[in-house]
Coordinates of all heavy atoms in Angstrom, one line a residue:
K1 N -21.4 27.7 -11.3 CA -20.5 28.7 -12.0 C -20.7 28.6 -13.5 O -20.9 27.5 -14.0 CB -19.1 28.5 -11.6 CG -18.7 28.9 -10.2 CD -17.2 29.1 -10.0 CE -17.0 29.7 -8.7 NZ -16.3 31.0 -8.8
T2 N -20.5 29.7 -14.1 CA -20.5 29.7 -15.5 C -19.1 29.9 -16.0 O -18.2 30.2 -15.2 CB -21.3 31.0 -16.1 OG1 -20.7 32.2 -15.8 CG2 -22.8 31.0 -15.5
P3 N -18.8 29.6 -17.3 CA -17.5 29.7 -17.8 C -16.9 31.1 -17.6 O -15.7 31.3 -17.6 CB -17.6 29.3 -19.2 CG -18.8 28.4 -19.4 CD -19.7 29.0 -18.3
R4 N -17.7 32.1 -17.5 CA -17.2 33.5 -17.4 C -16.9 33.9 -15.9 O -16.4 34.9 -15.7 CB -18.2 34.4 -18.1 CG -18.4 34.2 -19.5 CD -19.2 35.3 -20.1 NE -19.5 35.0 -21.6 CZ -18.7 35.4 -22.5 NH1 -17.5 36.0 -22.3 NH2 -19.0 35.1 -23.8
D5 N -17.4 33.1 -15.0 CA -17.2 33.4 -13.5 C -15.7 33.3 -13.3 O -15.0 32.5 -13.7 CB -18.0 32.5 -12.6 CG -19.5 32.8 -12.7 OD1 -19.8 33.9 -13.2 OD2 -20.2 31.9 -12.3
E6 N -15.2 34.1 -12.3 CA -13.8 34.1 -11.8 C -13.6 32.8 -11.0 O -14.4 32.4 -10.3 CB -13.6 35.2 -10.9 CG -12.1 35.4 -10.5 CD -11.8 36.7 -9.8 OE1 -12.5 37.7 -10.1 OE2 -11.0 36.6 -8.9
V7 N -12.5 32.2 -11.2 CA -12.1 31.0 -10.5 C -11.4 31.4 -9.2 O -10.5 32.2 -9.3 CB -11.2 30.1 -11.4 CG1 -10.8 28.9 -10.7 CG2 -11.9 29.7 -12.7
T8 N -11.7 30.7 -8.1 CA -11.2 31.0 -6.9 C -10.3 29.9 -6.3 O -10.2 28.8 -6.9 CB -12.4 31.3 -5.8 OG1 -13.0 30.0 -5.6 CG2 -13.3 32.3 -6.3
E9 N -9.6 30.2 -5.2 CA -8.8 29.2 -4.6 C -9.6 27.9 -4.2 O -9.2 26.8 -4.2 CB -8.1 29.8 -3.4 CG -7.1 28.8 -2.7 CD -5.9 28.7 -3.4 OE1 -5.5 29.6 -4.3 OE2 -5.2 27.7 -3.2
V10 N -10.8 28.2 -3.7 CA -11.8 27.2 -3.4 C -12.1 26.2 -4.5 O -12.1 25.1 -4.5 CB -13.0 27.8 -2.7 CG1 -14.1 26.6 -2.5 CG2 -12.8 28.5 -1.4
D11 N -12.3 26.9 -5.7 CA -12.5 26.1 -6.9 C -11.3 25.2 -7.2 O -11.5 24.0 -7.6 CB -12.8 27.0 -8.1 CG -14.0 27.9 -7.9 OD1 -15.1 27.4 -7.4 OD2 -14.0 29.0 -8.3
L12 N -10.2 25.8 -7.1 CA -8.9 25.0 -7.3 C -8.9 23.7 -6.4 O -8.6 22.6 -6.8 CB -7.7 25.8 -7.1 CG -6.4 25.1 -7.3 CD1 -6.2 24.4 -8.7 CD2 -5.3 26.0 -7.0
R13 N -9.2 24.0 -5.1 CA -9.1 22.9 -4.1 C -10.2 21.8 -4.4 O -9.9 20.7 -4.3 CB -9.3 23.5 -2.7 CG -8.1 24.3 -2.3 CD -8.3 24.8 -0.9 NE -7.4 25.9 -0.5 CZ -6.2 25.7 0.0 NH1 -5.9 24.5 0.3 NH2 -5.4 26.7 0.2
V14 N -11.3 22.3 -4.8 CA -12.4 21.3 -5.1 C -12.0 20.5 -6.4 O -12.2 19.3 -6.4 CB -13.8 22.0 -5.4 CG1 -14.7 21.1 -6.1 CG2 -14.3 22.6 -4.1
A15 N -11.4 21.1 -7.4 CA -11.0 20.5 -8.6 C -9.9 19.4 -8.3 O -9.9 18.3 -8.8 CB -10.5 21.5 -9.6
M16 N -8.9 19.9 -7.4 CA -7.9 18.9 -7.1 C -8.4 17.8 -6.3 O -7.9 16.6 -6.6 CB -6.8 19.7 -6.3 CG -6.0 20.7 -7.1 SD -4.9 21.8 -6.2 CE -3.8 20.7 -5.5
E17 N -9.3 17.9 -5.4 CA -9.9 16.8 -4.7 C -10.6 15.9 -5.6 O -10.6 14.7 -5.5 CB -10.8 17.4 -3.5 CG -11.3 16.3 -2.6 CD -10.1 15.5 -1.8 OE1 -9.1 16.1 -1.7 OE2 -10.4 14.4 -1.5
T18 N -11.4 16.5 -6.6 CA -12.1 15.7 -7.5 C -11.1 14.8 -8.3 O -11.3 13.6 -8.5 CB -13.0 16.5 -8.5 OG1 -13.9 17.3 -7.7 CG2 -13.7 15.7 -9.5
I19 N -10.1 15.3 -8.8 CA -9.1 14.6 -9.5 C -8.5 13.5 -8.7 O -8.3 12.4 -9.1 CB -8.0 15.5 -10.1 CG1 -8.6 16.4 -11.2 CG2 -6.8 14.7 -10.7 CD1 -7.7 17.5 -11.7
K20 N -8.2 13.8 -7.4 CA -7.5 12.9 -6.5 C -8.5 11.7 -6.3 O -8.0 10.6 -6.2 CB -7.3 13.6 -5.2 CG -6.6 12.7 -4.1 CD -6.3 13.5 -2.9 CE -5.8 12.7 -1.8 NZ -5.5 13.5 -0.6
R21 N -9.7 11.9 -6.1 CA -10.7 10.8 -5.9 C -11.3 10.1 -7.0 O -11.7 8.9 -6.9 CB -11.9 11.5 -5.1 CG -11.6 12.0 -3.7 CD -12.8 12.5 -3.1 NE -12.5 13.0 -1.8 CZ -13.1 12.6 -0.6 NH1 -14.2 11.7 -0.7 NH2 -12.8 13.1 0.5
R22 N -11.3 10.7 -8.2 CA -12.0 10.1 -9.3 C -11.2 9.7 -10.5 O -11.7 9.1 -11.5 CB -13.1 11.1 -9.8 CG -14.0 11.5 -8.7 CD -15.4 11.5 -9.1 NE -16.3 12.0 -8.1 CZ -17.2 11.3 -7.5 NH1 -17.4 10.0 -7.9 NH2 -17.9 11.8 -6.6
F23 N -9.9 9.9 -10.5 CA -9.0 9.6 -11.7 C -8.0 8.7 -11.3 O -7.4 8.8 -10.2 CB -8.4 10.9 -12.2 CG -9.3 11.8 -12.9 CD1 -10.2 12.6 -12.3 CD2 -9.4 11.8 -14.3 CE1 -11.1 13.4 -12.9 CE2 -10.2 12.7 -15.0 CZ -11.1 13.4 -14.3
I24 N -7.7 7.7 -12.2 CA -6.7 6.8 -12.0 C -5.8 6.8 -13.3 O -6.4 6.8 -14.4 CB -7.2 5.3 -11.9 CG1 -8.2 5.2 -10.9 CG2 -6.0 4.3 -11.7 CD1 -8.9 3.8 -10.8
V25 N -4.5 7.0 -13.2 CA -3.7 7.1 -14.3 C -2.8 5.9 -14.5 O -2.2 5.4 -13.5 CB -2.7 8.5 -14.2 CG1 -1.8 8.5 -15.3 CG2 -3.6 9.7 -14.1
G26 N -2.7 5.4 -15.6 CA -1.8 4.3 -15.9 C -1.0 4.6 -17.2 O -1.3 5.5 -18.0
L27 N 0.1 4.0 -17.3 CA 1.1 4.2 -18.5 C 1.2 2.9 -19.2 O 1.3 1.8 -18.7 CB 2.5 4.6 -17.9 CG 2.5 5.9 -17.1 CD1 3.9 6.0 -16.5 CD2 2.1 7.1 -18.0
L28 N 1.1 3.1 -20.6 CA 1.2 1.9 -21.5 C 2.6 1.3 -21.3 O 2.8 0.0 -21.4 CB 1.0 2.3 -22.9 CG -0.4 2.5 -23.3 CD1 -0.5 3.0 -24.7 CD2 -1.3 1.2 -23.1
D29 N 3.6 2.1 -21.1 CA 5.0 1.6 -20.9 C 5.2 0.8 -19.7 O 6.2 0.0 -19.5 CB 6.0 2.8 -20.9 CG 6.1 3.5 -22.2 OD1 5.7 2.9 -23.2 OD2 6.7 4.6 -22.2
H30 N 4.2 0.9 -18.7 CA 4.2 0.1 -17.5 C 2.9 -0.5 -17.3 O 2.2 -0.3 -16.3 CB 4.6 1.1 -16.3 CG 5.8 1.8 -16.4 ND1 7.0 1.2 -16.2 CD2 6.1 3.0 -16.9 CE1 8.1 2.0 -16.3 NE2 7.5 3.2 -16.9
M31 N 2.5 -1.3 -18.3 CA 1.1 -1.8 -18.3 C 0.8 -2.7 -17.1 O -0.3 -2.5 -16.5 CB 0.9 -2.7 -19.6 CG -0.5 -3.3 -19.7 SD -1.8 -2.2 -20.0 CE -1.7 -2.0 -21.8
E32 N 1.7 -3.6 -16.7 CA 1.3 -4.5 -15.6 C 1.2 -3.7 -14.3 O 0.3 -4.0 -13.5 CB 2.4 -5.6 -15.4 CG 2.3 -6.6 -16.6 CD 3.2 -7.8 -16.3 OE1 2.9 -8.5 -15.2 OE2 4.0 -8.2 -17.1
E33 N 2.1 -2.8 -14.1 CA 2.0 -1.9 -12.9 C 0.7 -1.1 -12.9 O 0.1 -0.9 -11.9 CB 3.3 -1.0 -12.8 CG 3.3 -0.1 -11.6 CD 4.5 0.8 -11.6 OE1 5.5 0.5 -12.3 OE2 4.4 1.8 -11.0
S34 N 0.4 -0.6 -14.1 CA -0.9 0.2 -14.2 C -2.1 -0.6 -13.8 O -3.0 -0.2 -13.1 CB -1.0 0.9 -15.6 OG 0.1 1.7 -15.8
I35 N -2.1 -1.9 -14.4 CA -3.3 -2.7 -14.1 C -3.4 -3.1 -12.7 O -4.4 -3.1 -12.1 CB -3.2 -4.0 -15.0 CG1 -3.3 -3.6 -16.5 CG2 -4.3 -5.0 -14.6 CD1 -4.6 -3.0 -16.9
H36 N -2.2 -3.3 -12.1 CA -2.1 -3.6 -10.6 C -2.7 -2.4 -9.8 O -3.5 -2.7 -8.9 CB -0.7 -3.9 -10.2 CG -0.4 -4.2 -8.8 ND1 -1.0 -5.4 -8.2 CD2 0.1 -3.5 -7.8 CE1 -0.7 -5.4 -6.9 NE2 0.0 -4.2 -6.6
R37 N -2.3 -1.3 -10.2 CA -2.9 -0.1 -9.6 C -4.3 0.1 -9.7 O -5.1 0.4 -8.8 CB -2.1 1.2 -10.2 CG -2.6 2.5 -9.5 CD -2.0 3.7 -10.3 NE -0.7 3.5 -10.6 CZ 0.4 4.1 -9.9 NH1 0.1 4.8 -8.9 NH2 1.6 3.9 -10.4
F38 N -4.8 -0.2 -10.9 CA -6.3 -0.1 -11.1 C -7.0 -1.1 -10.2 O -8.0 -0.9 -9.6 CB -6.6 -0.4 -12.6 CG -6.0 0.6 -13.6 CD1 -5.8 0.1 -14.9 CD2 -5.7 1.8 -13.3 CE1 -5.3 1.0 -15.8 CE2 -5.2 2.7 -14.1 CZ -5.0 2.3 -15.5
N39 N -6.5 -2.4 -10.2 CA -7.1 -3.4 -9.4 C -7.1 -3.0 -7.9 O -8.1 -3.3 -7.2 CB -6.3 -4.7 -9.5 CG -6.5 -5.4 -10.8 OD1 -7.4 -5.0 -11.6 ND2 -5.7 -6.3 -11.2
I40 N -6.1 -2.4 -7.4 CA -6.1 -1.9 -6.0 C -7.2 -0.9 -5.8 O -8.0 -1.0 -4.8 CB -4.7 -1.4 -5.6 CG1 -3.7 -2.5 -5.5 CG2 -4.8 -0.7 -4.3 CD1 -2.2 -2.1 -5.4
V41 N -7.2 0.1 -6.6 CA -8.2 1.2 -6.5 C -9.7 0.7 -6.6 O -10.5 1.1 -5.9 CB -7.9 2.3 -7.5 CG1 -9.0 3.3 -7.5 CG2 -6.6 3.0 -7.2
L42 N -9.8 -0.3 -7.5 CA -11.2 -0.8 -7.8 C -11.5 -2.0 -6.8 O -12.7 -2.5 -6.9 CB -11.3 -1.3 -9.3 CG -11.1 -0.2 -10.3 CD1 -11.0 -0.7 -11.6 CD2 -12.3 0.8 -10.1
G43 N -10.6 -2.4 -6.0 CA -10.9 -3.5 -5.1 C -10.9 -4.8 -5.6 O -11.6 -5.8 -5.2
I44 N -10.1 -5.1 -6.7 CA -10.1 -6.3 -7.4 C -8.9 -7.1 -6.9 O -7.8 -6.6 -6.9 CB -10.0 -6.2 -9.0 CG1 -11.2 -5.5 -9.4 CG2 -9.8 -7.5 -9.7 CD1 -11.1 -5.0 -10.9
D45 N -9.1 -8.3 -6.5 CA -8.0 -9.2 -5.9 C -7.4 -9.9 -7.1 O -7.9 -11.0 -7.7 CB -8.6 -10.2 -4.9 CG -7.6 -11.1 -4.3 OD1 -6.4 -11.0 -4.7 OD2 -7.9 -11.9 -3.3
G46 N -6.2 -9.4 -7.5 CA -5.5 -10.0 -8.7 C -4.9 -11.4 -8.4 O -4.6 -12.0 -9.3
S47 N -5.0 -11.8 -7.2 CA -4.5 -13.2 -6.9 C -5.5 -14.3 -7.0 O -5.2 -15.5 -7.1 CB -3.9 -13.3 -5.5 OG -4.9 -13.1 -4.5
K48 N -6.8 -13.9 -7.1 CA -7.9 -14.9 -7.4 C -7.8 -15.5 -8.7 O -7.6 -14.8 -9.8 CB -9.3 -14.2 -7.2 CG -9.7 -14.0 -5.8 CD -11.1 -13.5 -5.7 CE -11.6 -13.4 -4.4 NZ -13.0 -12.9 -4.3
E49 N -8.0 -16.8 -8.8 CA -7.9 -17.6 -10.1 C -8.7 -17.0 -11.2 O -8.3 -16.8 -12.3 CB -8.1 -19.1 -9.9 CG -7.8 -19.9 -11.0 CD -6.4 -19.7 -11.5 OE1 -5.4 -19.6 -10.7 OE2 -6.1 -19.8 -12.8
E50 N -10.0 -16.6 -10.9 CA -10.9 -16.1 -11.9 C -10.4 -14.8 -12.5 O -10.5 -14.5 -13.7 CB -12.3 -16.0 -11.4 CG -12.5 -15.0 -10.2 CD -13.8 -15.0 -9.6 OE1 -14.6 -16.0 -9.8 OE2 -14.1 -14.0 -8.9
N51 N -9.8 -14.0 -11.6 CA -9.2 -12.7 -12.1 C -7.9 -12.9 -12.9 O -7.7 -12.1 -13.9 CB -9.0 -11.7 -10.8 CG -10.3 -11.4 -10.2 OD1 -11.4 -11.4 -10.8 ND2 -10.2 -11.0 -9.0
K52 N -7.1 -13.9 -12.6 CA -6.0 -14.2 -13.3 C -6.4 -14.6 -14.7 O -5.8 -14.2 -15.7 CB -5.1 -15.2 -12.6 CG -4.4 -14.8 -11.4 CD -3.6 -16.0 -10.8 CE -2.9 -15.6 -9.6 NZ -2.1 -16.8 -9.0
Q53 N -7.4 -15.5 -14.8 CA -7.9 -15.9 -16.1 C -8.4 -14.8 -16.9 O -8.1 -14.7 -18.2 CB -9.0 -17.0 -15.9 CG -8.5 -18.3 -15.3 CD -9.7 -19.3 -15.1 OE1 -10.9 -18.9 -15.4 NE2 -9.4 -20.4 -14.5
C54 N -9.0 -13.8 -16.3 CA -9.5 -12.7 -17.1 C -8.4 -11.9 -17.6 O -8.3 -11.5 -18.8 CB -10.4 -11.8 -16.1 SG -11.1 -10.4 -16.9
M55 N -7.4 -11.7 -16.8 CA -6.2 -10.9 -17.2 C -5.5 -11.6 -18.4 O -5.1 -11.0 -19.3 CB -5.2 -10.7 -16.0 CG -5.8 -9.8 -14.9 SD -6.0 -8.1 -15.4 CE -4.3 -7.6 -15.6
N56 N -5.3 -12.9 -18.2 CA -4.6 -13.7 -19.3 C -5.5 -13.7 -20.6 O -4.9 -13.7 -21.7 CB -4.4 -15.1 -18.8 CG -3.4 -15.2 -17.8 OD1 -2.5 -14.3 -17.7 ND2 -3.4 -16.3 -17.0
Q57 N -6.8 -13.6 -20.5 CA -7.6 -13.5 -21.7 C -7.4 -12.3 -22.4 O -7.3 -12.3 -23.7 CB -9.1 -13.6 -21.2 CG -10.1 -13.5 -22.5 CD -11.5 -13.5 -22.0 OE1 -11.8 -13.8 -20.9 NE2 -12.4 -13.2 -23.0
F58 N -7.2 -11.1 -21.7 CA -7.0 -9.9 -22.4 C -5.5 -9.6 -22.7 O -5.3 -8.9 -23.7 CB -7.6 -8.7 -21.5 CG -9.1 -8.7 -21.7 CD1 -9.8 -9.3 -20.6 CD2 -9.8 -8.2 -22.7 CE1 -11.2 -9.3 -20.6 CE2 -11.1 -8.2 -22.8 CZ -11.8 -8.7 -21.7
F59 N -4.6 -10.0 -21.9 CA -3.2 -9.7 -22.1 C -2.3 -10.8 -22.4 O -1.2 -10.6 -22.8 CB -2.7 -9.0 -20.8 CG -3.5 -7.7 -20.5 CD1 -4.3 -7.7 -19.4 CD2 -3.3 -6.6 -21.3 CE1 -4.9 -6.5 -19.1 CE2 -4.0 -5.4 -21.0 CZ -4.8 -5.4 -19.9
G60 N -2.8 -12.0 -22.4 CA -2.0 -13.1 -22.6 C -1.1 -13.6 -21.4 O -0.9 -12.8 -20.5
E61 N -0.6 -14.8 -21.4 CA 0.2 -15.3 -20.3 C 1.6 -15.5 -20.8 O 1.8 -16.1 -21.8 CB -0.4 -16.6 -19.8 CG 0.3 -17.0 -18.5 CD -0.4 -18.2 -17.9 OE1 -1.2 -18.9 -18.5 OE2 0.0 -18.6 -16.7
G62 N 2.6 -14.9 -20.1 CA 3.9 -15.1 -20.5 C 4.4 -14.3 -21.7 O 5.4 -14.6 -22.3
V63 N 3.7 -13.3 -22.1 CA 4.0 -12.4 -23.2 C 4.2 -11.0 -22.7 O 3.5 -10.6 -21.7 CB 3.1 -12.5 -24.4 CG1 3.1 -13.9 -25.0 CG2 1.6 -12.1 -24.0
D64 N 4.8 -10.1 -23.5 CA 4.8 -8.7 -23.1 C 3.4 -8.2 -23.3 O 2.8 -8.4 -24.3 CB 5.8 -8.0 -24.0 CG 7.2 -8.3 -23.6 OD1 7.5 -8.8 -22.6 OD2 8.1 -8.1 -24.5
K65 N 2.9 -7.4 -22.3 CA 1.6 -6.8 -22.4 C 1.8 -5.4 -23.0 O 2.6 -4.7 -22.5 CB 1.0 -6.8 -21.0 CG 0.8 -8.2 -20.5 CD 0.6 -8.2 -19.0 CE 0.4 -9.6 -18.5 NZ 1.4 -10.6 -18.8
E66 N 1.1 -5.1 -24.1 CA 1.2 -3.9 -24.7 C -0.1 -3.5 -25.3 O -1.1 -4.3 -25.4 CB 2.3 -3.9 -25.8 CG 2.0 -4.9 -26.8 CD 3.2 -5.1 -27.8 OE1 4.3 -5.1 -27.4 OE2 2.8 -5.2 -29.0
N67 N -0.2 -2.2 -25.7 CA -1.4 -1.8 -26.4 C -1.7 -2.6 -27.6 O -0.8 -2.6 -28.5 CB -1.3 -0.3 -26.7 CG -2.6 0.4 -27.2 OD1 -3.5 -0.4 -27.4 ND2 -2.6 1.6 -27.2
S68 N -2.9 -3.2 -27.8 CA -3.1 -4.0 -29.0 C -3.5 -3.2 -30.2 O -3.7 -3.8 -31.3 CB -4.2 -5.1 -28.6 OG -5.4 -4.4 -28.3
N69 N -3.8 -1.9 -30.0 CA -4.2 -1.0 -31.1 C -2.9 -0.5 -31.8 O -2.1 0.1 -31.1 CB -5.0 0.1 -30.6 CG -6.3 -0.4 -30.0 OD1 -7.0 -1.3 -30.6 ND2 -6.7 0.2 -28.9
T70 N -2.8 -0.6 -33.1 CA -1.7 0.0 -33.8 C -1.9 1.5 -34.0 O -3.0 1.9 -34.1 CB -1.5 -0.7 -35.2 OG1 -2.7 -0.5 -35.9 CG2 -1.2 -2.2 -35.0
H71 N -0.8 2.2 -33.9 CA -0.9 3.7 -34.1 C 0.2 4.1 -35.1 O 1.3 3.6 -35.0 CB -0.7 4.3 -32.8 CG -1.6 4.0 -31.7 ND1 -2.9 4.5 -31.7 CD2 -1.6 3.1 -30.7 CE1 -3.5 3.9 -30.6 NE2 -2.7 3.1 -30.1
R72 N -0.1 5.0 -35.9 CA 1.0 5.6 -36.8 C 1.9 6.4 -35.9 O 1.6 7.0 -34.9 CB 0.3 6.6 -37.8 CG -0.5 5.8 -38.8 CD -1.1 6.8 -39.8 NE -2.2 7.6 -39.2 CZ -2.4 8.8 -39.3 NH1 -1.7 9.5 -40.2 NH2 -3.4 9.4 -38.7
K73 N 3.2 6.5 -36.4 CA 4.2 7.2 -35.6 C 3.9 8.7 -35.9 O 3.7 9.1 -37.1 CB 5.6 6.8 -36.1 CG 6.7 7.6 -35.4 CD 8.0 6.9 -35.5 CE 9.2 7.6 -34.9 NZ 9.0 7.7 -33.4
V74 N 4.0 9.5 -34.9 CA 3.7 11.0 -35.0 C 5.1 11.7 -35.0 O 5.8 11.5 -34.0 CB 2.7 11.5 -33.9 CG1 2.5 12.9 -34.1 CG2 1.4 10.7 -34.0
E75 N 5.4 12.4 -36.0 CA 6.6 13.2 -36.0 C 6.5 14.5 -35.3 O 5.5 15.2 -35.4 CB 7.0 13.5 -37.5 CG 7.3 12.2 -38.3 CD 8.4 11.3 -37.8 OE1 9.4 11.9 -37.3 OE2 8.3 10.1 -37.9
R76 N 7.5 14.8 -34.6 CA 7.5 16.1 -33.9 C 7.4 17.3 -34.9 O 7.9 17.3 -35.9 CB 8.9 16.3 -33.2 CG 8.9 17.5 -32.3 CD 10.3 17.7 -31.7 NE 10.6 16.7 -30.7 CZ 10.3 17.0 -29.4 NH1 9.8 18.0 -29.0 NH2 10.5 16.0 -28.5
G77 N 6.4 18.2 -34.5 CA 6.2 19.3 -35.4 C 5.1 19.1 -36.4 O 4.6 20.1 -37.0
S78 N 4.7 17.9 -36.6 CA 3.6 17.5 -37.5 C 2.2 18.0 -37.0 O 2.1 18.2 -35.8 CB 3.6 16.0 -37.9 OG 3.1 15.3 -36.8
P79 N 1.2 18.1 -37.8 CA -0.1 18.5 -37.3 C -0.6 17.5 -36.2 O -1.3 18.0 -35.3 CB -1.0 18.4 -38.6 CG -0.1 18.6 -39.7 CD 1.2 17.9 -39.3
G80 N -0.3 16.2 -36.4 CA -0.7 15.3 -35.4 C -0.1 15.5 -34.0 O -0.6 15.1 -32.9
W81 N 1.1 16.1 -34.0 CA 1.9 16.3 -32.8 C 1.3 17.5 -32.0 O 1.3 17.3 -30.7 CB 3.3 16.7 -33.2 CG 4.2 17.0 -32.0 CD1 4.5 18.2 -31.5 CD2 5.0 16.0 -31.3 NE1 5.4 18.1 -30.4 CE2 5.7 16.8 -30.3 CE3 5.1 14.7 -31.4 CZ2 6.5 16.1 -29.4 CZ3 6.0 14.1 -30.5 CH2 6.6 14.8 -29.5
R82 N 0.7 18.4 -32.6 CA 0.0 19.4 -31.9 C -1.2 19.1 -31.3 O -1.9 19.2 -30.5 CB -0.1 20.7 -32.8 CG 1.1 21.1 -33.4 CD 0.9 22.3 -34.3 NE 1.9 22.2 -35.3 CZ 1.8 22.5 -36.6 NH1 0.6 22.9 -37.0 NH2 2.7 22.3 -37.5

């Protein structure tokens, strides 16, 4: 299909199935839960010692896990908000 072709119900169903099979969504506010979800989908056993060590290397042990990249606060209505 080209961008100018009409989208059909079949196209919608194909797109929805693609999203269902190929996308994993995680939330920074729920980092541990998101990583757990990724591990399940990717078939990673989070209870194995080597995988625990890897997680601790990236996220630390016994500390809050959060995005390590700093971001400026975006004000509602500002150009960055849009």
Side-chain angles (χ1 to χ4, degrees):
K1 284 196 173 239
T2 69
R4 296 187 186 275
D5 289 343
E6 186 174 325
V7 178
T8 66
E9 185 74 24
V10 172
D11 296 323
L12 174 62
R13 291 178 196 271
V14 168
M16 289 172 65
E17 186 62 28
T18 299
I19 290 171
K20 182 179 176 181
R21 290 177 181 238
R22 305 224 182 244
F23 287 78
I24 307 169
V25 175
L27 301 173
L28 286 176
D29 292 345
H30 302 281
M31 179 70 83
E32 287 192 57
E33 181 182 336
S34 296
I35 297 298
H36 179 69
R37 181 188 316 260
F38 299 154
N39 287 347
I40 290 171
V41 171
L42 297 171
I44 297 170
D45 184 350
S47 66
K48 284 187 173 180
E49 189 57 37
E50 63 189 16
N51 294 335
K52 285 181 183 180
Q53 289 176 4
C54 180
M55 294 295 289
N56 289 337
Q57 178 183 351
F58 286 99
F59 298 110
E61 186 172 17
V63 297
D64 290 336
K65 294 158 180 63
E66 57 186 45
N67 187 350
S68 61
N69 299 315
T70 58
H71 301 283
R72 289 181 287 142
K73 182 158 177 68
V74 179
E75 299 295 327
R76 183 182 291 268
S78 72
W81 181 263
R82 296 179 217 144

